[in-house]
Amino acid sequence: MIMVTPLSNEQKPLTLSVEGMTCAACAARIERVLEKEDSIKNAVVNFPLKKAIVEFNESIDTDKIIEKIKSIGYSAVVFEENVVSKTKTTKFITPIISLLLTITLKPFFIENGFTLQAIGIGFLIVFVFGYKFHVSAIKNLIEFNFNMDTLISIGSLSSFIFAILSTDQPLMFLETGGYIISFILIGKTIEEASIKSSVEISEALLDLIPKDVRVYKENYVMKNIEDISRDEEIIVLPGEVIPLDGDIQSGVSTVDESIITGESIPVDKDIGSQVIAGTVNLTGEIRIKVSKISGETTFNVIEDMIFKAQTTKPSVQKSIDKITQFFVPTVLIISLITFLIRLIIFNQEAFLALKVAIAILVIACPCALGLAIPIVLFRSASISNEKGFIFKNFDYLQKLTKINSIIFDKTGTITTGIFKIKSITSDNEVEIDSVLQYMASLEQKSNHPIAKSILLEAESKNISLFDVKNFKEKQGIGVEGEVDNKKVSVEKSSKEDGSLTFLDVKIDEKLFLVELHEEISIDSGFIKHLSNNYNISILSGDNNRKVQDFGKAIGVSESLGNQTPEDKLLYIKNTQKNNIVAFVGDGINDSPALKQADVGIASAHSTQIAQSAGDIVIHKGGISKIVEIIELAKKSQSRINQNLFLAFIYNTLMIPIAITGNISPNMAALAMAASSISVVLNSSRNL
C-alpha cells in the first residue's frame, strides 16, 4: 500500500484572466511591463490559457496591476474558477460573417457599382471586426514594441486606405483587407477551440470536489465549502467524495484513494484515520474533523502544482520570445524595402508593389512560432497528473531526455523501509506467532523503524498485544522490558550476512535468532530496463556490505553504503562532470542531493522537505513511474521539435515566395492562419 504524506503548500501567486491577447508576443509584452514593477518578483503570462501568474515580494495592489495591463491594450480580471465563457459555436459567428461579407464584396457590390455600400462593408470588417488587432498594434507602437498585430493591422489598413484613395484601380484592395481579417479571425477561433479541448483534460479536476458540504446542527445542513473552518466537523455519506482533508472522529468505512495514490485497492478507515480531499468514501457514514480548509488540501496543492507546471515558461520559450521581438520589425523593414525597390528601381505600378509588400507583412506573422511550445507544455502537465506525477517546471522534463545517469537512494525509495520476518530459529521449539507477539508487544513503546515494521506485521496477522512494564531503550543496541510477566529483550545481533538484518530475541531464558529482510518497492524488470539506457547507481546510509549485496541482488554494480548527505552530494557533483544526472530520493537527508542533481525526483510518501527539493513529484504509484516520466518527456520534446520545424519551415519558405510576388495577400492570410492551425492540431494529438 502506498502511504501519502500531505504535500506542503506555498503562498499562492496572483492569478489574472487576461483578454485581448492575439499571439505569444502579446504575452511577452505584458510580462515585460509587469516585471518592471519593484513589488513583482516574477510574472508569467500564458497565451493559450489567457492567464497571468504574478509572484510578488510583498503585498501588491491588484487594481494597480490590472490597470497596468489595461494601459497597454489588454483587459484583466482576477481569475475565478467555473466562469462560463462563450461556446465554440458562438465564437465562430463573427469570423464566418466577416468571411461571407468579404466574399460578396466584389461580385455583389463593387462590380455592380454599389461603391458606398462596398466601402461600408469593408470598414465594418477591417475596423470593427478587426479592431482588437489595431488597438493592440497602436498601443504597442507607442511603446516602440512590435508583434503579430502590427503586421496584421498595417496589412489590412493599408489595403483599405489604398482601395479608397486609388483612382487607377478603384476599390482594388478592399476585399484584400477583408480576407486578411477574416482568415486571421477564423484561424484564431480554431486555435482557441483546439486549445480549449486540451484544457478540458485538467479542468475535469475542478469538478471532483463538491461545492457544498454536509454539517450536523440538530439535523443535516448543507454549507458552502468556502465557509468551512479548520477543526469544524463535517459528515460524508457512503458514495460521496471527501471534500476536505481531516481525521475521522466517528464511523468506520473504506475509502478509494486511487485519485491520489494510484492504489486501486480501497483502504480501511476508522476513528483517528486521516482522509484526503478528492478520495471517495465507499461503505460507511463518517464524521471528519477538518484539518485543512478549502484551498489548502492535498488535492488543492496537487492542482496548484499542475497549474504552476502549465504556466511556467521553459528556457526554450524565452529564447523564442526574444527572436519574435526582433522578427516583426525585421519583416516591416523587408516589406518596406521590397515596396521601394519594386516601385523605384523596377518602375512597377504602386498597387502591384503594395500588393507584394502587404503579402510579406501578412505571411510573416510569427504566430505559429509562439504557439509551438505552450500547448505542448499544457498538455504534458495535464497528462502527467493523470499518469500520477507532477513536474514543477517544463525545463526539468526536457532535461530528462538528456540524462545518462540515474542515482537512487535505497531505504524508502527502492525499498519500502518496511522489514519482514524471513525466519525465526532457536534451539528451542519455535512458535513464530508467539515470538512475534512478545516482540511486537515490547516494540510498541519504540519509535525505531524496525520496531514499526514488527508492529505492522503483528497487526497484519491480527495478533493481540500484551501490556509492557519497565520498558527500557538502549541506544544503538535494542530494547528490553517485562511482557506478560516475562522478561523480554530485542537487540541487534552481532551476526551479519550481507543484505540481511538479524535480531537477538530473548524471552526469559529462551534465545531466538530473527532474520529480517527489507521489502522491495520495485519489480525485477524495472532496474534491468533502466540499465539498458542509463548508468544506474545506489547511495545509502546503510552498512556498506549490506548495500553492495543488495545492489548485486537487483542488478546494480555501483552501490555505495555508509553515505552521509555530504557524501551523496559530493558523489553527484563528481558524476555531473561527465554526465547529466537524475537523483531519486525520499528523506530529509536526500534533500541536498535532490537539489544538486540536474533532475530531482521525489514521491508522495517522501518527507515534505524532499518533495519541496524535488523537481518532479510522483503522487500515484511508486518509483517505477520513472519509466513513464521519461517516456512522456521524450514524446513532449519530440512534439515541440515538430512544431518548431513546422513554424520555422513555414516562414523560411513563404517569406521568399511573398518577396518574389508569387502569392496574393488573400492567400498569404490563409497560409498564415493554416500554419498556426497546423501547429495547434499537432500539439493537440495524443502524447
Side-chain angles (χ1 to χ4, degrees):
M1 184 189 302
I2 298 166
M3 303 299 291
V4 180
T5 301
L7 300 173
S8 58
N9 209 348
E10 300 175 356
Q11 182 186 36
K12 286 188 176 182
L14 171 66
T15 303
L16 302 173
S17 294
V18 181
E19 292 297 330
M21 294 189 292
T22 54
C23 66
C26 298
R29 165 76 176 132
I30 296 171
E31 284 176 5
R32 288 196 298 273
V33 170
L34 291 180
E35 287 179 347
K36 290 178 182 177
E37 293 290 317
D38 294 335
S39 59
I40 294 177
K41 181 168 63 176
N42 184 47
V44 176
V45 181
N46 189 290
F47 168 57
L49 294 182
K50 302 291 189 286
K51 289 176 185 172
I53 296 84
V54 183
E55 296 178 5
F56 41 89
N57 296 311
E58 54 195 57
S59 60
I60 58 172
D61 185 342
T62 303
D63 292 336
K64 182 181 177 183
I65 299 300
I66 291 173
E67 284 302 316
K68 200 77 177 175
I69 294 173
K70 287 182 178 179
S71 70
I72 55 173
Y74 309 96
S75 61
V77 294
V78 176
F79 171 70
E80 293 182 20
E81 295 175 357
N82 303 321
V83 174
V84 179
S85 59
K86 291 182 181 178
T87 63
K88 294 177 184 178
T89 306
T90 305
K91 288 183 177 181
F92 273 102
I93 291 176
T94 299
I96 290 173
I97 291 175
S98 178
L99 181 60
L100 290 175
L101 288 174
T102 302
I103 292 171
T104 62
L105 264 178
K106 190 172 183 179
F108 288 97
F109 295 95
I110 296 174
E111 291 181 354
N112 290 317
F114 298 118
T115 303
L116 290 177
Q117 291 88 335
I119 292 173
I121 292 172
F123 183 89
L124 174 69
I125 297 168
V126 173
F127 287 90
V128 178
F129 293 161
Y131 82 97
K132 286 185 178 180
F133 302 118
H134 308 311
V135 170
S136 173
I138 291 168
K139 292 205 172 186
N140 275 284
L141 283 171
I142 291 172
E143 300 289 334
F144 295 100
N145 282 289
F146 305 91
N147 62 0
M148 186 197 82
D149 298 335
T150 309
L151 302 180
I152 294 172
S153 180
I154 292 174
S156 59
L157 288 176
S158 57
S159 299
F160 182 84
I161 293 169
F162 187 87
I164 301 300
L165 299 179
S166 174
T167 54
D168 296 332
Q169 301 285 337
L171 305 185
M172 172 67 183
F173 282 127
L174 191 60
E175 62 178 356
T176 298
Y179 276 117
I180 291 172
I181 296 297
S182 299
F183 285 142
I184 300 302
L185 285 175
I186 290 172
K188 288 292 173 190
T189 307
I190 293 173
E191 281 175 26
E192 288 185 15
S194 299
I195 291 168
K196 179 64 178 174
S197 65
S198 298
V199 171
E200 285 169 354
I201 293 174
S202 69
E203 281 188 344
L205 277 174
L206 303 177
D207 298 327
L208 288 174
I209 302 297
K211 302 298 180 286
D212 294 313
V213 178
R214 186 178 288 99
V215 296
Y216 190 80
K217 293 182 179 179
E218 297 182 356
N219 51 25
Y220 289 138
V221 177
M222 301 306 292
K223 189 174 179 180
N224 189 285
I225 192 170
E226 300 294 335
D227 298 329
I228 300 294
S229 57
R230 191 175 281 103
D231 294 331
E232 189 170 353
E233 293 187 357
I234 62 175
I235 311 295
V236 182
L237 301 181
E240 293 183 342
V241 174
I242 295 171
L244 298 165
D245 289 9
D247 302 305
I248 295 178
Q249 301 299 298
S250 67
V252 176
S253 185
T254 55
V255 175
D256 179 359
E257 295 185 336
S258 58
I259 191 170
I260 302 294
T261 66
E263 190 74 38
S264 59
I265 301 173
V267 181
D268 293 331
K269 301 285 185 178
D270 54 21
I271 295 173
S273 297
Q274 183 187 59
V275 289
I276 295 174
T279 58
V280 182
N281 179 31
L282 296 178
T283 57
E285 179 179 321
I286 51 177
R287 181 163 52 89
I288 301 167
K289 184 177 182 180
V290 174
S291 60
K292 292 187 178 180
I293 60 174
S294 179
E296 298 179 359
T297 67
T298 301
F299 187 87
N300 294 137
V301 175
I302 291 174
E303 184 187 331
D304 288 343
M305 289 174 72
I306 297 167
F307 183 67
K308 188 174 286 187
Q310 290 168 337
T311 52
T312 53
K313 180 167 288 191
S315 54
V316 64
Q317 180 67 52
K318 293 175 183 176
S319 300
I320 289 173
D321 287 347
K322 290 179 181 178
I323 292 171
T324 55
Q325 191 176 349
F326 295 102
F327 183 80
V328 173
T330 302
V331 170
L332 287 171
I333 293 170
I334 291 172
S335 177
L336 178 61
I337 291 173
T338 302
F339 174 75
L340 294 174
I341 289 174
R342 285 178 172 272
L343 186 68
I344 298 170
I345 297 178
F346 294 118
N347 201 27
Q348 199 172 55
E349 292 183 38
F351 83 91
L352 291 176
L354 183 62
K355 181 180 178 181
V356 174
I358 292 171
I360 294 170
L361 290 175
V362 175
I363 209 163
C365 288
C367 193
L369 199 59
L371 290 167
I373 295 174
I375 303 173
V376 176
L377 167 59
F378 188 92
R379 285 185 60 80
S380 298
S382 301
I383 291 169
S384 70
N385 176 61
E386 287 184 342
K387 290 180 177 289
F389 55 91
I390 302 169
F391 54 89
K392 296 181 181 178
N393 188 303
F394 192 70
D395 284 338
Y396 300 124
L397 205 62
Q398 287 185 300
K399 283 181 182 178
L400 269 182
T401 63
K402 301 173 183 177
I403 63 167
N404 52 13
S405 179
I406 303 178
I407 301 171
F408 290 92
D409 168 57
K410 183 179 80 71
T411 305
T413 303
I414 294 180
T415 65
T416 62
I418 298 173
F419 291 84
K420 296 285 187 180
I421 294 177
K422 185 177 181 181
S423 66
I424 299 177
T425 57
S426 174
D427 294 335
N428 305 292
E429 188 176 329
V430 177
E431 187 178 331
I432 292 177
D433 285 355
S434 177
V435 175
L436 178 58
Q437 184 179 34
Y438 280 96
M439 289 175 65
S441 297
L442 179 63
E443 295 285 16
Q444 65 184 312
K445 293 281 189 177
S446 173
N447 288 317
H448 194 279
I450 290 180
K452 298 298 183 186
S453 296
I454 292 170
L455 277 168
L456 182 63
E457 185 152 353
E459 288 174 4
S460 68
K461 293 184 176 183
N462 294 318
I463 295 175
S464 59
L465 303 182
F466 298 116
D467 291 332
V468 183
K469 297 178 182 178
N470 303 320
F471 176 82
K472 184 179 180 182
E473 188 158 9
K474 295 180 282 186
Q475 193 67 34
I477 298 175
V479 293
E480 64 181 28
E482 190 177 322
V483 178
D484 191 30
N485 298 318
K486 294 181 180 180
K487 189 175 181 181
V488 180
S489 65
V490 178
E491 297 180 354
K492 183 169 65 174
S493 177
S494 57
K495 180 178 179 180
E496 284 192 17
D497 185 12
S499 62
L500 299 176
T501 298
F502 293 90
L503 299 175
D504 288 331
V505 178
K506 189 175 182 181
I507 304 174
D508 279 343
E509 299 304 318
K510 295 179 180 179
L511 296 174
F512 303 90
L513 182 66
V514 178
E515 182 181 337
L516 304 175
H517 68 96
E518 200 169 357
E519 194 175 59
I520 298 176
S521 62
I522 55 174
D523 59 58
S524 57
F526 172 69
I527 293 294
K528 185 177 180 181
H529 176 80
L530 290 180
S531 298
N532 292 331
N533 300 293
Y534 306 99
N535 299 317
I536 306 297
S537 52
I538 295 173
L539 303 179
S540 175
D542 283 353
N543 174 277
N544 191 48
R545 183 184 170 190
K546 183 189 292 187
V547 175
Q548 288 180 348
D549 285 359
F550 175 83
K552 288 177 184 177
I554 63 171
V556 179
S557 57
E558 182 76 8
S559 302
L560 302 177
N562 299 324
Q563 295 288 295
T564 65
E566 292 78 11
D567 292 332
K568 291 181 180 181
L569 192 64
L570 182 61
Y571 182 91
I572 290 173
K573 285 181 178 179
N574 289 332
T575 306
Q576 285 176 316
K577 291 176 182 178
N578 300 305
N579 298 276
I580 298 175
V581 177
F583 179 78
V584 188
D586 75 310
I588 294 174
N589 62 331
D590 293 325
S591 299
L594 285 165
K595 275 294 184 186
Q596 176 62 37
D598 297 288
V599 181
I601 302 174
S603 60
H605 64 268
S606 304
T607 63
Q608 290 188 356
I609 293 176
Q611 290 174 25
S612 177
D615 306 312
I616 297 173
V617 178
I618 300 170
H619 66 88
K620 291 183 187 177
I623 62 167
S624 56
K625 285 282 180 183
I626 290 172
V627 175
E628 291 183 53
I629 297 172
I630 294 172
E631 184 180 349
L632 179 64
K634 289 180 177 179
K635 286 181 178 179
S636 299
Q637 186 61 53
S638 174
R639 193 64 53 82
I640 285 174
N641 292 340
Q642 292 168 17
N643 286 348
L644 291 175
F645 174 79
L646 288 172
F648 277 116
I649 201 70
Y650 163 79
N651 280 315
T652 303
L653 294 177
M654 299 308 290
I655 291 176
I657 292 173
I659 291 173
T660 57
N662 289 315
I663 189 169
S664 69
N666 302 358
M667 290 298 101
L670 183 60
M672 196 281 279
S675 72
S676 297
I677 293 169
S678 68
V679 167
V680 171
L681 293 178
N682 188 54
S683 300
S684 300
R685 291 190 298 115
N686 289 333
L687 285 170

